Amino acid sequence: MSSAVYERIRNDPKFHELERRRGRFAWLLSSVVLLFFYGYILMVAFAPTTLARPVAQGSTLTVGIAFELAMFVGFWVLVAVYVRRANSEFDQLTARIVKDAVREEGAAGAVKKAAGALLLLVLPALASAGGALEGPVEKQPLNVHAIAMFLVFVALTMGITYWAASRTRSTTDFYTAGGGITGFQNGLAIAGDYMSAATLLGLTAMVYSQGYDGYIYMIAWFVGWPVILFLMAERLRNLGRFTFADITSYRLDQTKVRSLAAVSSLTVVIFYLIAQMVGAGQLIKLLFGLPYNYAVVAVGTLMMVYVIFGGMLATTWVQIIKAGMLLTGGTVVVVLAMSRFGFSFPTLVREAVAQFAEVTRAKAADGTLGAGKNLLATGGFLKDPVNAVSLGLGLMFGTAGLPHILMRFFTVGNAKEARKSVLYASAFVGYFFNVIFVMGLAAILIVGKDPQFFEKGLLPAAGVATKIVGGNNMVAMHLARAVGGDLLLGFLAAVAFATILAVVSGLALAGASAISHDLYARVLKKGKASEASEMRVSKIATICLGIVAIALGILFEQQNVAFMVGVAFGIAAAANFPVLILSMYWRGLTTRGAVAGGVTGLVSAVTLVFLSKSVWVNVLGNAAPIFPWDQPALFAMPAAFLAAFTFSKLDGTARAKAEIEAFEDQYVRAQTGFGAATAAKH
């Protein structure tokens, strides 16, 4: 793109007006979200009794639940308000700015091209591929319904992969589905990435066993997306093409910055893949009654097929179908469960509170029973303010640095469809989290009072230790069976396994892209690789990642892999996010600063997680952790920012000065989308 056009845009008063309007609006909305969320987290840490109070005398609705519901709805409304204003006022102003600048150049053809490329924005697809299931698992009887339904899902997605293969002819098709995914489709795919098996099984179990703490965790997963939309999404799409390294290396040294981005991306992907592969094997034991190794090989093989032959298009549709199945399955379970309580939420809550208090009464040394726990009060899950803030930082900003999430920014064709992605995805995810909360409450009464779901038929009671068949992670499945029989259990079991398939496919594609696009095409071939050779390398990389994932999944079968998810989020929040956000907003960032910040974040995040209880005690067997907190983000993120700032300021080389000057053109493209990649046409 002509630098002269960028210069004219910078000198246009309308451009500065666009900066002022959009910047003020985005930062205002972001501040509202951050203020309410972290105010809430601090209340959880310092004033938990306030959150447990009823909103009115005799009400079953507590201050905490009401506040969280208000945040779910309110934050989504803020997203809707931003999308509406951006799709009208900001887009129209941007179109006039670009049109005037290009017209002055006398390039009539460029007007049409620029108009088609305006503000190609996509939501950071949250997908947070949740952690693998933990704890011992027991092989269950063969579940014919689950296997039959899963085979139907595989057959359907194989058909989609065959269809997608005929439409995947270029690197743009392979990495981003040609930019031809609609806003609704991408919103569902984002939700499919985000709603993992850990969401369905783990969070239901958390509500069942810890009550309100599970709901706190849900809002922490949800809250990052509005801020990411307001501050990052537009710039990501306008500056990038296939991977987030396109953005961080836009004006910096391609070799150094892309190499670092590829290493951190692959580290995140590998840890996530291991967690998901182990989770798949455990799920098969729990739900299908098949051997662990068979499950791991099956997931790895299907993952390779989806990605190699169908690329992003097949992966997207796998995620869409899985999201639809998960939303449907969860809704059916909740409707059937609520029918047992006359569809009365107050009745459900009142009875669940009484049951939870009864079964959590602890037996004292003299044999007397103490008071039970309050289901609607925090149980100290985030009582440590350091862990509370660090968890919020990790979940909020770690998502913005996950490579498989960022890839979804490039799959839609225009700004309006991209912003619709935000609206749909956040609505689906917020709805599903609240479905999970109701499922957990219902399970306390339905599963918790049915002896068939407990070992030796022993029901939970005050002072009596009992164990759910298959462990707490089976609560959602037991609830499905209790309200819908083996058919609904089979459907939900198949959905849980399909969930992992969808997640690992996205991860594999992100890892393959880091190898083929960043390392091979840009670093080794210096941007001169042919599309055919790049796609060939990507498919080879997918096979290698699949083999590695299968091998590590089998190797780590008996290990506690929860720390891997912590490492993934820690690396994303500390190594990727600081460099990414600084490259978009700070003109002073240099290659030396970006590399220093990325390396500092990467090393500090991994080190702190290694020294925490998750690894140092639970895995290595030491008596006490060296790092006393579970989440590294509060410490690793500032270290990364500080290193990037310090080394950039100390860099007085001629190259650094040129990189700083190049920020001006980058800033115009980030604001207007002029020069951004357009959707492919088939």
Side-chain angles (χ1 to χ4, degrees):
M1 286 297 130
S2 170
S3 184
V5 175
Y6 286 140
E7 181 65 26
R8 279 194 292 275
I9 292 175
R10 279 197 299 274
N11 294 330
D12 189 337
K14 293 192 294 293
F15 176 70
H16 298 292
E17 179 68 13
L18 174 67
E19 287 183 276
R20 185 184 63 81
R21 290 188 196 175
R22 184 159 52 199
R24 287 183 179 179
F25 192 52
W27 281 105
L28 173 63
L29 297 183
S30 300
S31 299
V32 170
V33 172
L34 291 169
L35 178 65
F36 275 91
F37 174 66
Y38 279 106
Y40 171 71
I41 290 297
L42 291 177
M43 285 185 68
V44 170
F46 293 108
T49 55
T50 301
L51 297 176
R53 294 174 183 168
V55 295
Q57 188 173 1
S59 174
T60 57
L61 184 65
T62 64
V63 172
I65 292 178
F67 197 81
E68 281 212 30
L69 280 172
M71 283 194 290
F72 272 117
V73 176
F75 293 165
W76 184 84
V77 169
L78 292 182
V79 169
V81 169
Y82 180 86
V83 169
R84 181 174 181 178
R85 187 174 179 185
N87 282 351
S88 54
E89 177 185 336
F90 299 155
D91 276 0
Q92 291 172 10
L93 183 56
T94 303
R96 291 198 299 270
I97 292 169
V98 175
K99 185 177 180 180
D100 290 348
V102 177
R103 184 170 53 209
E104 291 178 22
E105 177 123 315
V111 176
K112 182 177 179 181
K113 182 176 181 181
L118 287 179
L119 297 174
L120 299 176
L121 164 68
V122 171
L123 170 72
L126 193 342
S128 137
L133 304 177
E134 300 176 35
V137 286
E138 302 169 6
K139 186 174 178 180
Q140 301 296 305
L142 194 68
N143 190 322
V144 177
H145 292 92
I147 293 176
M149 291 183 184
F150 177 70
L151 290 177
V152 170
F153 170 82
V154 171
L156 178 61
T157 52
M158 283 298 180
I160 289 173
T161 303
Y162 178 79
W163 164 76
S166 65
R167 298 170 60 88
T168 302
R169 299 188 292 268
S170 67
T171 52
T172 302
D173 297 331
F174 186 81
Y175 295 133
T176 66
I181 304 300
T182 68
F184 180 76
Q185 293 167 350
N186 200 47
L188 260 180
I190 289 166
D193 243 345
Y194 197 71
M195 298 181 301
S196 67
T199 304
L200 173 64
L201 304 180
L203 291 182
T204 304
M206 185 178 290
V207 174
Y208 173 86
S209 61
Q210 300 183 43
Y212 180 63
D213 282 351
Y215 205 37
I216 297 172
Y217 209 80
M218 293 175 199
I219 193 66
W221 284 113
F222 177 81
V223 75
W225 294 109
V227 175
I228 292 168
L229 168 66
F230 303 149
L231 299 182
M232 294 181 62
E234 190 165 8
R235 295 167 185 260
L236 283 168
R237 184 54 186 88
N238 289 341
L239 293 173
R241 189 183 180 196
F242 296 149
T243 69
F244 84 92
D246 292 333
I247 300 152
T248 56
S249 66
Y250 187 90
R251 60 188 172 91
L252 305 180
D253 185 281
Q254 293 279 323
T255 300
K256 295 178 181 177
V257 176
R258 283 189 183 274
S259 297
L260 173 65
V263 169
S264 62
S265 294
L266 286 171
T267 305
V268 172
V269 166
I270 289 295
F271 276 106
Y272 256 121
L273 276 176
I274 294 173
Q276 292 300 313
M277 297 301 280
V278 173
Q282 293 177 341
L283 268 175
I284 292 306
K285 275 188 175 182
L286 288 169
L287 307 175
F288 291 76
L290 297 177
Y292 174 88
N293 289 357
Y294 290 3
V296 172
V297 173
V299 171
T301 302
L302 288 172
M303 171 191 77
M304 288 186 279
V305 171
Y306 291 149
V307 176
I308 290 172
F309 294 102
M312 178 59 84
L313 188 59
T315 299
T316 296
W317 279 101
V318 169
Q319 291 164 341
I320 288 172
I321 293 171
K322 164 255 171 165
M325 293 170 65
L326 193 57
L327 289 166
T328 301
T331 301
V332 170
V333 171
V334 164
V335 169
L336 293 175
M338 288 300 295
S339 68
R340 299 194 176 192
F341 306 97
F343 294 99
S344 171
F345 183 72
T347 300
L348 170 65
V349 172
R350 189 162 41 248
E351 294 184 14
V353 167
Q355 172 71 4
F356 192 80
E358 175 61 28
V359 301
T360 55
R361 295 172 67 191
K363 182 177 291 186
D366 60 0
T368 59
L369 295 173
K373 296 179 182 178
N374 184 354
L375 174 71
L376 302 181
T378 177
F381 180 58
L382 292 176
K383 66 179 179 181
D384 184 342
V386 174
N387 256 337
V389 175
S390 195
L391 175 66
L393 286 173
L395 295 181
M396 180 179 288
F397 299 115
T399 306
L402 294 173
H404 62 294
I405 299 297
L406 297 175
M407 283 193 74
R408 297 224 61 87
F409 277 82
F410 314 116
T411 60
V412 296
N414 57 62
K416 286 182 172 58
E417 292 302 311
R419 292 173 184 133
K420 287 179 185 177
S421 302
V422 181
L423 233 57
Y424 291 128
S426 55
F428 291 138
V429 169
Y431 166 77
F432 188 69
F433 277 151
N434 283 280
V435 165
I436 290 294
F437 182 55
V438 176
M439 284 178 62
L441 295 177
I444 293 172
L445 295 168
I446 297 174
V447 176
K449 290 184 175 183
D450 193 333
Q452 69 171 316
F453 299 124
F454 292 86
E455 292 183 358
K456 301 179 182 179
L458 295 176
L459 285 171
V464 178
T466 58
K467 185 179 179 182
I468 292 179
V469 174
N472 277 359
N473 285 311
M474 280 292 286
V475 165
M477 296 302 149
H478 290 325
L479 179 63
R481 184 181 179 189
V483 299
D486 285 341
L487 189 62
L488 185 56
L489 169 63
F491 178 77
L492 210 61
V495 168
F497 194 49
T499 293
I500 287 182
L501 271 180
V503 170
V504 297
S505 297
L507 287 166
L509 186 57
S513 301
I515 294 172
S516 60
H517 180 63
D518 293 329
L519 291 180
Y520 173 75
R522 298 295 175 177
V523 175
L524 295 180
K525 292 295 185 179
K526 307 297 182 184
K528 297 180 180 180
S530 66
E531 286 202 349
S533 65
E534 186 173 341
M535 288 183 66
R536 183 169 59 251
V537 171
S538 187
K539 293 177 179 182
I540 294 172
T542 301
I543 295 174
C544 294
L545 281 172
I547 294 172
V548 169
I550 290 171
L552 292 178
I554 294 174
L555 180 65
F556 279 82
E557 177 185 1
Q558 302 300 327
Q559 296 296 319
N560 180 337
V561 297
F563 74 93
M564 295 177 186
V565 175
V567 169
F569 265 92
I571 292 171
N576 294 345
F577 174 74
V579 176
L580 186 59
I581 196 74
L582 288 175
S583 68
M584 292 189 291
Y585 277 92
W586 186 41
R587 72 179 69 246
L589 183 70
T590 67
T591 296
R592 189 175 295 175
V595 172
V599 171
T600 300
L602 176 66
V603 173
S604 61
V606 172
T607 301
L608 292 178
V609 172
F610 182 81
L611 298 177
S612 71
K613 182 181 177 182
S614 296
V615 180
W616 193 253
V617 176
N618 295 346
V619 176
L620 300 180
N622 293 294
I626 297 176
F627 179 67
W629 296 286
D630 298 323
Q631 296 289 335
L634 183 59
F635 305 93
M637 274 182 61
F641 276 113
L642 180 61
F645 178 81
T646 302
F647 279 83
S648 293
K649 282 294 186 182
L650 294 176
D651 190 355
T653 62
R655 181 180 182 87
K657 294 178 181 178
E659 291 169 348
I660 293 172
E661 291 176 1
F663 178 82
E664 298 300 330
D665 284 355
Q666 173 190 312
Y667 185 71
V668 171
R669 175 165 163 175
Q671 288 283 348
T672 65
F674 183 71
T678 57
K681 288 181 170 56
H682 294 290

